[in-house]
Amino acid sequence: MVEHILFKKGLREIRENLKQYITVILIAILAVSLFTGIYANWQNFKYKLDTIYTRSNMCDGIIMTSGNSTDLTDYLEKQDIYFEQRLYVTAKMDSYNLNVLTFKADSTLNKPAYMSISTLTTQDVLVDEGFITKTGVQIGDQITVNISNVSSLGLPLDTLDLAFTITGSMTHPEALDNSEYSSNFLYVGEDALKNSLYNYLKTTIYGAFVTEDLVSELLNSTNNEYLLKGANTATILDQVSQDFDVLYALERADLPTNLTIEADVLQAKQLIYIFPVIFYLVAVLIILTSISELINKEQKNIGLLKALGYSNTEILLHYTNIFVILCIIGGVVGIIIGPIIIPNVMNQKYNILYQLPNISTPIFRPFYLVSVIILIAIVYLTAIFALFSILRKVPASSLRGDNSYNMKPTLFDKLPLKKDKFLALKMALRNMKRKVSRTFMVLFGVMGCSALLLCGFGIENTLDNSVNTELTLIPFDVHLYYANDTSYAADLATIPGVVAVDEYTKKDVEIIKDKMISSYIYILPAESNIFVPSYNEDSCLITSKVAEEIGAKVGDEISFIYNGSSYNIMVTDIIDISFSQGIFISRARGLLDIEPTNAWLRTTNIQMNDTILAEALNIAGIYNGLTITQLKNQADDKLSSIRIMTNTIKIFALLLAIVVLYNLALLNFKERIKDIATLKVLGFEVREIAASFLLEILLLTLVGSAIGLVLGYPLMYAVLAINENPLLSYIYHIDVISYVITFVITAGFSVIINLVMSGFVNKVKMVESLKAVD
């Protein structure tokens, strides 16, 4: 009978507070879906990478030397670690950079995780999927690879041109990076390499002396990389770095080929600590306020239940069970839609940046339940806290209710104004003071929503500013790519409409200080007509992104590795630039004697750019190029993934704003039903009563939005800082118009929702609302 009465009472409460309960469910859905979605994105991304590493038996560390090292081999053989040797050389096919990796019949480390062929033999030559996409080469085609650092092979030649037949494609653990500066990979079996090298050497002046056994012996003595696998890899790498002359000795996560994707896995994890935390805090506080206010409204009913003989435990469970059910409903929906929506959105970014195969990931993870359990725990704790003082009262005291408020006059009340002036404003201020907790909730809700919205707009502004900064520092009209390292300045200068030609050399290098990263070196002309930052013969400019990653500052000595050789150079200036990442030196310095690989052109009229580009491409040796307009379009395409994330933030922020503000407005309206009825009895017009609602929310929105606008910039910085993109360096900026739009949207939602609530004033029944036990 007792349970039947409580059940009927619960149904009645649901009918009376249905709108309030729906907002609680929606808030729970938003909080849980964002938390589980971002957590699922991290776990899915990590799961795919771990699957590739496991299937390929990825090593724990790599040591690279300038050539075969007998001493290092002897040292490793005495250690408790498994290792393999291989040959690793950089090469080019036409204008495309390649990393050539060799494997033997007994190689077990760093194998392809997935292959288009069923069985791998030492006669096979595999390429990564990105190579096929970039070059258009098909399986079965023969390609010619140029190796310029032949000295690492111990041959008295300047270059090697080796022919290989592509036998398949692969997903290799070192060839996952799909960014612009990354080189593609050629996975070559030892027999395929021997045959190609033998055929090439037979065509040289040494042909008469070349035998297959000689080539085999030559290759066996030129292994320059050691792949390590074992629990003590880190210790051995540290020791090798100190005791041996090696180019680098790095753990897997710090390898140039894996650094970016490993960092992105960490960034995917760190996102959990930003957006879900903000949404969760807002959701928790709103749910907390809703429970507290609804329980306070039920004070007389609680007194009646106690008078009827219900225990404190039964009363507590009655009120908490409703909210637990609401949180479970919202949590279950959030668990379903979050891991579906967020990872699919973020996958658009990962598909642009990485070569990841379609790997199935778990649909459900037990950790998703943590977000629901937290909400349920908060419900119980909040309900206990809200009911504690009420349950301590005797039934008669609870039934009497708490209809009086110990309100002291506000500062505004003390001003020498006529009593009938500013009545709506006085009512708004008194209500805010009377309900401090709800006032704080409105401020916090508006603050969170405006900060998230400004963060979204700020990310877009930063992306646009980053692109514009690049084009301000290097204001070219046409950019050209050379097929051969040679100069075409004289030919380019004859094209009508070209007013300046800046030829430069761009090479991929590994830059080292505190750690090593893959980037570029730019060798600029002695005097530039286009490159804006000033430099001279002794200058070494480094971009701020690269300087931050390797821990360099002005005056520091850094080193870079090019073609197996290491060079030291001192940083003279750090510049903020977006796409052109790396270090910049003058050709007059004479550090690297390399002919130009690219050119920037300035033209008389941007309308002529397409025509000038077409004429430049007719010059033999210039294989590609783009205009400034095409570059902007490319930048938009590459940054589309970040814009997708930005739009997701905006949508969630808008949904949160609507639900939160509606919830708080509904609470405010229900709390003041008796006040509204009293004012109507006293003869106040509906517009005067509604004005107090609007003034209250406008004041709170103004203050909350102002705080949110201040927090928007650091929030944007935090989001982009943990979502670094290898394609560019962010140059942070938020336009003034973004602040205005954010405020207008937040304030607009608040006003619209409270206008809707004000329309309910006419529906308040004066007699029923003013009924009270006392």
Side-chain angles (χ1 to χ4, degrees), residues 6 93 234 298 336-337 357 430 446 553 576 613 622 655 700 736-737 744:
L6 288 178
M93 189 203 80
E298 287 286 305
I336 294 173
I337 66 175
R430 285 183 178 181
V446 173
K553 58 183 183 297
D576 287 326
L613 174 60
I622 299 179
L655 291 174
L700 294 177
V736 174
I737 190 64
V744 170

Side-chain angles (χ1 to χ4, degrees), residues 322-350:
I322 294 175
F323 286 96
V324 168
I325 293 172
L326 298 178
C327 289
I328 290 176
I329 294 172
V332 170
V333 176
I335 285 175
I336 294 173
I337 66 175
I340 294 175
I341 295 176
I342 303 296
N344 284 333
V345 170
M346 296 303 292
N347 275 342
Q348 298 183 54
K349 166 189 173 181
Y350 301 140

Side-chain angles (χ1 to χ4, degrees), residues 64-77:
M64 185 171 186
T65 67
S66 56
N68 196 48
S69 174
T70 304
D71 292 341
L72 181 55
T73 303
D74 293 340
Y75 169 78
L76 292 175
E77 287 177 345

Side-chain angles (χ1 to χ4, degrees), residues 416-427:
L417 300 172
K418 292 183 179 181
K419 293 184 178 180
D420 58 342
K421 296 292 184 181
F422 305 105
L423 178 62
L425 180 58
K426 290 179 180 180
M427 291 173 59

Side-chain angles (χ1 to χ4, degrees), residues 80 367 393 405 593 607 734:
D80 182 22
F367 191 77
K393 297 178 180 179
Y405 295 92
D593 186 18
Q607 304 298 329
I734 300 181

Side-chain angles (χ1 to χ4, degrees), residues 691-730:
S692 66
F693 281 98
L694 292 176
L695 283 173
E696 179 181 353
I697 199 65
L698 284 175
L699 287 173
L700 294 177
T701 298
L702 182 64
V703 176
S705 294
I707 300 173
L709 294 179
V710 172
L711 296 177
Y713 188 95
L715 179 60
M716 174 203 69
Y717 186 94
V719 171
L720 290 177
I722 68 171
N723 195 46
E724 282 288 342
N725 191 306
L727 299 175
L728 82 161
S729 173
Y730 300 122

